[in-house]
Amino acid sequence: MSKPPRILVVDDDATARAVLAEVLMKAGYAVESAGGGAEAVEKGQRVPVDLVLTDIKMPDMDGMAVLKRFRELSPETPVILLTAFGAMESAIEAIKCGAYDYISKPFKKDDVLLTIGRALDQRRLLYENVHYRQALRDRYQFSNIIGSSQAMLEVYKLVARVADGRSTVLLHGESGTGKELIARAIHYNGPRANAPFVAVNCGALTESLLESELFGHEKGAFTGATAVKRGLFEEAGGGTILLDEVGDMSPALQAKLLRVLQEQEIRRVGGDKSIPVDVRVLASTHRDLWSMVRKQQFREDLYYRLNVVTITLPPLRDRRDDIPMLAYHFMQRCAAANQRPVVGISPDAMMILQQANWPGNVRELEHTIESAVVMTSHEIILPDDLPATLRESAPVAAAPEFPDLVTLEEMERRYLIRVLEETHGNKAQAAKILGIDRRTLYRMAERFGLNLAEG
């Protein structure tokens, strides 16, 4: 059961203080009381509070001083001031200095509870928003982008170079290669991370609908436009907008997008007023835009505006060394999300995954692993858990050839080495695949002269 919000009531009038405390406790709040401003600040340093309700007129330290100290001590804590009718100017000044609201004396119980409820709701939303954005920043850190192939290392370098700037970036690659993931990494590792990231698929909407989505519309601009609507460029203010599949945009919209990039302002559909916007633009496409320019299917001036920096994402078939790492990442995430006891992928299943063509790239691999995790009845994903089309397309593995017959112990040593390679040295996963505990795994490694030092 969650704890009730804690409210600090500050008033030098003991009777008024007691009445407020009783009202708040009956409403289910925890209450701390202070007979003056200095005591309130001292108590606020010792006891975390969710809201401060303070009188303005107090002899030792007035409510304005209490407000300023709490803005320093705990900026996220809302402060509500109690004021007599003659002190309205002070109350309005307090709002300018950061107070949430003020309540006039003599107050009504319902007014007090309503104002406190709104202030606490706003505090909760701000808290959730901060933590949500921090979770997004953590999720899209460079370290969470999977892949160590040379092709991906080049991508990481470019992302790191452009993240801190505001230049337009064009992300090019086949469908499913992770263009939006890289766009989010650019946003959440740059100075705009605390502002919105907005993505729109330019190929999924009709021209008129896309224009309204991007730029918004005025009331009455067209049938059904019953109210003013802010567009995504306005919604992304201070942040980043990703124009996914920008190559599918119509010539008319290309011209309007060019104007936005040049002028840093938009005009809503049906409006005649220019609205300035501060947005970083990222664009992605699977098309060859330069070829489209030569065929006069895409504006050359817009191409150069978008193509300040190009990051090309390699198809999965060109980064096969990353497949085991990606497969294990998707397996662990899906197993946790679905509460499935799947802990590994057999070497034969991994060989099929590494030899597949993956026309759908990383997205197809992710869906394949997700299906295998959900459908398997084992702790290890086996070849039979993979789609039949994938198994049938894999080349038949040749029988292993040895220069001479080897002992069972040598076969055991070779298999242990292969499992460790497939799991990238993950001892827990290797032990699960082998069907032994970690202590036995260490004894086996010691017997074969393999170093399993903790990494």
Side-chain angles (χ1 to χ4, degrees):
M1 186 174 177
S2 60
K3 294 180 180 180
R6 185 176 298 275
I7 298 175
L8 175 58
V9 176
V10 189
D11 201 319
D12 60 325
D13 184 332
T15 303
R17 193 168 67 244
V19 169
L20 276 170
E22 183 178 0
V23 167
L24 295 174
M25 285 189 288
K26 283 184 177 179
Y29 296 112
V31 178
E32 296 285 338
S33 296
E39 183 185 352
V41 171
E42 185 272 332
K43 190 163 282 190
Q45 290 173 320
R46 288 189 294 106
V47 182
V49 295
D50 298 296
L51 182 141
V52 177
L53 183 62
T54 179
D55 192 19
I56 284 188
K57 296 284 188 179
M58 292 183 294
D60 65 332
M61 179 188 285
D62 66 12
M64 288 293 291
V66 171
L67 168 64
K68 290 174 183 176
R69 287 294 289 125
F70 270 90
R71 294 291 292 171
E72 296 169 0
L73 289 172
S74 179
E76 73 282 0
T77 301
V79 177
I80 298 173
L81 292 120
L82 295 165
T83 175
F85 179 76
M88 280 298 171
E89 288 186 8
S90 297
I92 294 169
E93 181 63 26
I95 298 293
K96 293 178 181 177
C97 292
Y100 174 77
D101 206 345
Y102 64 85
I103 299 171
S104 300
K105 291 182 176 181
F107 56 79
K108 294 180 181 178
K109 180 181 73 172
D110 290 345
D111 289 344
V112 172
L113 295 178
L114 181 62
T115 305
I116 287 174
R118 286 174 177 166
L120 291 173
D121 282 345
Q122 177 175 296
R123 184 180 192 273
R124 176 181 55 80
L125 289 171
L126 287 172
Y127 175 85
E128 290 175 354
N129 190 47
V130 168
H131 281 258
Y132 173 67
R133 291 197 182 281
Q134 185 57 52
L136 287 174
R137 293 187 75 162
D138 293 342
R139 180 177 178 183
Y140 294 108
Q141 288 300 303
F142 296 144
S143 58
N144 291 334
I145 303 174
I146 308 300
S148 58
S149 61
Q150 187 59 42
M152 287 306 295
L153 291 177
E154 293 302 317
V155 170
Y156 302 154
K157 289 178 187 176
L158 284 171
V159 172
R161 286 173 186 159
V162 302
D164 285 336
R166 61 169 297 148
S167 299
T168 305
V169 179
L170 180 63
L171 301 162
H172 182 263
E174 295 178 8
S175 178
T177 49
K179 296 186 289 294
E180 183 170 336
L181 175 67
I182 296 300
R184 289 182 180 272
I186 292 171
H187 172 75
Y188 286 108
N189 287 276
R192 295 173 177 259
N194 291 324
F197 175 91
V198 176
V200 57
N201 188 329
C202 300
L205 302 172
T206 63
E207 179 181 335
S208 58
L209 187 55
L210 179 58
E211 181 178 9
S212 176
E213 282 294 303
L214 289 175
F215 309 127
H217 61 249
E218 298 291 345
K219 182 178 179 180
F222 48 83
T223 303
T226 57
V228 173
K229 179 193 173 189
R230 282 160 52 92
L232 295 180
F233 270 95
E234 290 179 81
E235 295 292 341
T240 304
I241 188 168
L242 170 64
L243 304 174
D244 189 21
E245 296 305 342
V246 71
D248 293 343
M249 190 176 281
S250 70
L253 273 184
Q254 289 177 32
K256 292 180 180 180
L257 175 59
L258 178 64
R259 181 177 179 276
V260 174
L261 294 175
Q262 289 173 333
E263 307 296 334
Q264 295 293 298
E265 59 185 29
I266 58 103
R267 186 172 295 170
R268 293 178 185 150
V269 177
D272 55 8
K273 183 177 71 173
S274 294
I275 302 170
V277 290
D278 172 23
V279 178
R280 184 177 192 180
V281 176
L282 307 179
S284 66
T285 183
H286 72 282
R287 296 174 177 271
D288 182 346
L289 290 188
W290 181 241
S291 175
M292 293 179 67
V293 169
R294 292 200 303 269
K295 296 174 184 176
Q296 297 186 334
Q297 296 171 339
F298 198 84
R299 292 181 65 107
E300 184 173 4
D301 45 7
L302 178 58
Y303 172 78
Y304 286 118
R305 276 283 180 179
L306 294 175
N307 193 31
V308 177
V309 178
T310 296
I311 298 178
T312 301
L313 295 173
L316 191 54
R317 62 183 174 274
D318 290 347
R319 46 181 291 220
R320 294 184 186 275
D321 290 348
D322 289 336
I323 290 176
M325 194 183 303
L326 286 162
Y328 274 104
H329 170 73
F330 295 140
M331 177 207 72
Q332 290 170 336
R333 191 172 71 187
C334 185
N338 292 276
Q339 298 182 320
R340 301 283 293 169
V342 181
V343 295
I345 302 171
S346 75
D348 287 343
M350 185 61 77
M351 182 177 68
I352 292 172
L353 295 174
Q354 285 192 274
Q355 292 176 342
N357 285 326
W358 301 114
N361 293 294
V362 178
R363 187 184 297 127
E364 183 185 359
L365 173 63
E366 181 179 6
H367 292 164
T368 298
I369 296 298
E370 182 178 359
S371 172
V373 167
V374 171
M375 299 303 295
T376 188
S377 56
H378 310 94
E379 291 187 346
I380 307 297
I381 293 175
L382 302 173
D384 286 347
D385 298 318
L386 301 175
T389 52
L390 208 64
R391 299 196 307 270
E392 291 164 2
S393 64
V396 179
E401 295 182 5
F402 304 109
D404 49 21
L405 294 177
V406 296
T407 64
L408 186 60
E409 185 172 19
E410 173 61 15
M411 285 292 293
E412 188 177 351
R413 186 187 74 84
R414 293 183 185 185
Y415 186 65
L416 173 60
I417 291 172
R418 181 176 176 188
V419 169
L420 288 169
E421 288 175 347
E422 294 288 353
T423 59
H424 297 277
N426 187 310
K427 272 77 76 176
Q429 288 182 353
K432 280 284 187 181
I433 292 173
L434 293 166
I436 58 178
D437 58 32
R438 288 185 61 156
R439 189 174 298 174
T440 304
L441 176 68
Y442 276 94
R443 284 201 296 268
M444 284 179 64
E446 185 178 358
R447 190 169 90 233
F448 294 131
L450 303 176
N451 183 11
L452 288 187
E454 293 290 345

